[in-house]
């Protein structure tokens, strides 16, 4: 029974009137049944709505659970990555600290070694300066110039170019008493000197900017008057090589042990030999030999050739000292030392040289 039926029943009862008790009872029953039906429908609809809402809530809850599970997994993954990153950072930090400590220890060790080397070098420089300042070409220090030392006893030199007095002439004649008269005392003439203004002016001009450039008037004159003639030997090509080695400070002079002289072979003839000078080509007993730079060849030289080369080396050594600021003398003293060295080159060129005492 629907609402229309209920309405029709009510309308019929009203038309029938109140006299009809039976109809009134029927109407009450109809109304009560209608209400029951409505209540039932309402309950069913309410239950259906609630079930739908419950299903929707369950679905939403499942989605929330899945989202919570996903977020939990993300959180766990982030926590794990954070732990790994933290451990990696700590490990890297410890590694960097260890490397820094190792580098610091190595640097401190290198610093100590460098300071030790610096101290040693400073001591060597101080000793070298002392040797340089106490050594001049007139009285060279044998430790600075080992090429001046011979292979023998390194003894003193004697001059063979001067006059030697005969014992019979230098000794006294016997007197009537049988005793010889005392020998007369020989008086050596005193050497005097006077500065040449032109040469001194050239030296002063060179001293303002000292160099080994031979284009200066000072060195150009010395090259033409002393160095060139002093190093001019029979073998001109080898002479040029010797001069170049002297200028570059790469020439080595060393003594030859006479007890171990090799036999003169074909390859040794080109470089001279123990009895033939490689520079002059003359047959002389060669007690020294020279080496030019890093070349493997050795050239045997006679005492005269060695004296000429040594004189030029002494000159270059002194002007290098001046160039490096190691000479603490005034200009006039330097000039006279240069003049003395020029004289030594001239004397050596003329054939005078010092020889070892037997």
């Amino acid at each position: 029974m629907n609402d229309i039926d209920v309405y029709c029943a009510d309308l019929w009862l009203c038309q029938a009137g109140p006299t009809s008790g039976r109809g009134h009872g029927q109407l009450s029953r109809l109304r009560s049944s209608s209400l029951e039906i409505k209540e039932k429908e309402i309950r069913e609809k309410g239950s259906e709505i609630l079930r739908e809402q419950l299903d929707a809530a369950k679905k939403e809850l499942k989605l929330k659970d899945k989202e919570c599970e996903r977020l939990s997994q993300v959180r766990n993954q982030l926590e794990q990555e954070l732990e790994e990153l933290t451990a990696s950072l700590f490990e890297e930090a410890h590694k960097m600290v260890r490397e820094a400590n190792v580098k610091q220890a190595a640097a401190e060790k290198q610093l100590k070694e460098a300071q030790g080397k610096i101290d040693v070098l400073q001591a060597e420089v101080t000793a070298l300066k002392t040797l340089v300042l106490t050594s001049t070409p007139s009285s060279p220090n044998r430790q600075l110039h080992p090429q001046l030392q011979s292979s023998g006893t390194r003894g003193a030199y004697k001059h063979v170019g001067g006059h030697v007095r005969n014992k019979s002439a230098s000794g006294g004649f016997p007197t009537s008493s049988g005793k010889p008269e005392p020998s007369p005392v020989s008086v050596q003439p005193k050497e005097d000197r006077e500065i040449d203004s032109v040469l001194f002016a050239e030296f002063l001009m060179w001293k303002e900017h000292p160099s080994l450039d031979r284009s200066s008037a000072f060195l150009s004159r010395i090259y033409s008057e002393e160095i060139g003639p002093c190093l001019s030997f029979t073998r001109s090509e080898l002479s040029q090589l010797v001069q170049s080695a002297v200028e570059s400070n790469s020439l080595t002079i060393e003594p030859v042990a006479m007890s171990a002289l090799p036999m003169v072979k074909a390859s040794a003839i080109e470089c001279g030999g123990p009895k033939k000078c490689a520079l002059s080509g003359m047959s002389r007993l060669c007690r020294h030999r020279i080496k030019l730079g890093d070349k493997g060849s050795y050239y045997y030289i006679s005492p005269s050739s060695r004296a000429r080369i040594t004189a030029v080396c002494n000159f270059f050594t002194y002007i290098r000292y001046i160039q490096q600021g190691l000479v603490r003398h005034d200009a006039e003293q330097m000039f006279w030392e240069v003049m003395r060295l020029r004289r030594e080159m001239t004397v050596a060129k003329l054939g005078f040289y010092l020889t070892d005492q037997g």
Side-chain angles (χ1 to χ4, degrees):
M1 182 178 290
N2 53 22
D3 294 339
I4 298 176
D5 294 336
V6 175
Y7 177 74
C8 292
D10 290 341
L11 181 63
W12 180 78
L13 288 176
C14 290
Q15 292 177 356
T19 56
S20 178
R22 185 178 178 180
H24 182 74
Q26 291 177 353
L27 180 61
S28 298
R29 286 193 296 275
L30 288 171
R31 288 181 174 176
S32 59
S33 62
S34 176
L35 290 173
E36 290 176 357
I37 292 171
K38 286 183 177 181
E39 290 177 356
K40 185 177 179 180
E41 291 178 352
I42 291 170
R43 284 195 299 270
E44 290 178 353
K45 290 182 177 179
S47 297
E48 186 177 356
I49 293 172
L50 289 174
R51 280 195 298 271
E52 292 178 354
Q53 292 179 352
L54 179 62
D55 293 338
K58 287 181 179 179
K59 291 180 179 180
E60 185 177 1
L61 183 61
K62 288 182 179 180
L63 294 175
K64 294 290 184 182
D65 290 340
K66 290 181 178 180
E67 184 68 17
C68 289
E69 185 178 357
R70 187 183 67 81
L71 293 177
S72 178
Q73 292 177 355
V74 171
R75 185 192 64 184
N76 294 334
Q77 184 178 0
L78 290 177
E79 288 179 351
Q80 183 178 359
E81 291 179 356
L82 181 61
E83 290 178 357
E84 293 177 354
L85 180 61
T86 302
S88 176
L89 289 176
F90 274 109
E91 183 179 357
E92 188 69 21
H94 285 300
K95 182 179 179 181
M96 292 175 64
V97 170
R98 287 195 300 270
E99 291 179 353
N101 292 334
V102 172
K103 290 181 178 179
Q104 182 179 1
E108 291 177 353
K109 182 180 179 181
Q110 292 178 356
L111 179 60
K112 291 181 180 179
E113 293 178 353
Q115 288 177 347
K117 291 180 180 179
I118 290 174
D119 294 338
V120 172
L121 289 176
Q122 287 179 346
E124 291 180 354
V125 169
T126 302
L128 182 59
K129 284 184 177 180
T130 303
L131 292 174
V132 168
L133 295 178
T134 57
S135 174
T136 61
S138 59
S139 57
N141 194 310
R142 298 288 176 174
Q143 296 179 0
L144 290 177
H145 306 284
Q147 70 272 16
L148 299 180
Q149 301 179 10
S150 64
S151 60
T153 59
R154 317 286 185 184
Y157 292 102
K158 63 180 180 179
H159 197 282
V160 298
H163 298 285
V164 180
R165 299 176 60 88
N166 191 283
K167 290 183 179 181
S168 61
S170 61
F173 291 99
T175 60
S176 59
S177 60
K179 294 181 180 180
E181 294 180 355
S183 301
V185 178
S186 60
V187 179
Q188 297 293 337
K190 181 181 179 182
E191 183 183 48
D192 206 350
R193 59 191 183 185
E194 181 179 353
I195 290 181
D196 184 288
S197 59
V198 177
L199 299 181
F200 190 59
E202 292 176 353
F203 172 74
L204 291 179
M205 187 177 300
W206 173 84
K207 185 177 176 297
E208 290 180 359
H209 303 286
S211 68
L212 299 181
D213 185 9
R214 57 190 300 178
S215 62
S216 63
F218 169 70
L219 285 181
S220 178
R221 179 189 297 273
I222 297 176
Y223 263 97
S224 62
E225 296 180 2
E226 281 86 25
I227 296 177
C230 196
L231 295 181
S232 178
F233 297 95
T234 304
R235 295 190 58 186
S236 58
E237 183 178 354
L238 182 57
S239 300
Q240 292 295 326
L241 295 177
V242 170
Q243 180 172 328
S244 299
V246 172
E247 292 172 345
S248 61
N249 199 22
S250 60
L251 183 139
T252 304
I253 304 178
E254 62 181 33
V256 178
M258 301 305 295
S259 59
L261 286 177
M263 297 296 294
V264 180
K265 299 180 181 180
S267 59
I269 295 175
E270 182 181 358
C271 301
K275 293 185 180 181
K276 185 176 181 179
C277 179
L279 289 170
S280 66
M282 300 178 65
S283 298
R284 295 288 187 271
L285 182 61
C286 301
R287 299 179 179 273
H288 293 81
R289 62 182 183 178
I290 59 174
K291 183 180 179 182
L292 308 179
D294 296 331
K295 297 181 180 180
S297 300
Y298 285 91
Y299 301 89
Y300 290 88
I301 57 175
S302 64
S304 176
S305 299
R306 172 179 175 264
R308 291 164 66 173
I309 296 174
T310 304
V312 179
C313 289
N314 287 340
F315 171 78
F316 274 101
T317 299
Y318 189 67
I319 63 172
R320 285 193 186 98
Y321 287 169
I322 298 176
Q323 182 186 13
Q324 297 168 7
L326 299 176
V327 182
R328 304 301 182 184
H329 298 155
D330 56 28
E332 185 174 345
Q333 290 177 316
M334 294 182 190
F335 172 77
W336 281 118
E337 183 62 25
V338 170
M339 294 301 104
R340 190 194 62 79
L341 293 170
R342 292 182 63 179
R343 183 173 63 179
E344 282 191 358
M345 287 188 284
T346 302
V347 171
K349 168 60 181 174
L350 294 176
F352 298 97
Y353 60 92
L354 301 175
T355 183
D356 296 332
Q357 293 181 352

